[in-house]
Amino acid sequence: MNWINVDNDRMPDHNGTVLCCNINDPEAPICLGVQVADGETEFYLFELGEKSKQVTHWMELPGKPSVG
């Protein structure tokens, strides 16, 4: 899996939880979020409990591990 740039690539499916990153933050926090509305670059970040337009990249969550 690779990080997807919100400006140059594409946005996630609306209401799909993804990993979000703001590479402009000195600590580069990575957290779970969901796109607020189709076509928007705003995400709701679960760890912060707020909306943000500061997300620069996102990544799909990995699948569940196989059992057995």
Side-chain angles (χ1 to χ4, degrees):
M1 285 186 222
N2 293 316
W3 287 102
I4 300 168
N5 186 314
V6 299
D7 292 328
N8 301 329
D9 297 324
R10 62 183 173 87
M11 295 299 288
D13 293 334
H14 182 58
N15 292 330
T17 301
V18 295
L19 289 176
C20 297
C21 180
N22 176 0
I23 62 170
N24 299 315
D25 189 308
E27 297 180 20
I30 297 172
C31 59
L32 291 174
V34 63
Q35 184 185 12
V36 174
D38 285 333
E40 296 289 326
T41 58
E42 187 173 36
F43 288 80
Y44 178 80
L45 304 177
F46 297 115
E47 283 87 350
L48 300 177
E50 62 187 35
K51 294 177 185 176
S52 173
K53 290 189 177 188
Q54 302 302 312
V55 172
T56 58
H57 293 76
W58 65 274
M59 181 187 295
E60 303 256 351
L61 296 176
K64 296 178 183 177
S66 56
V67 178

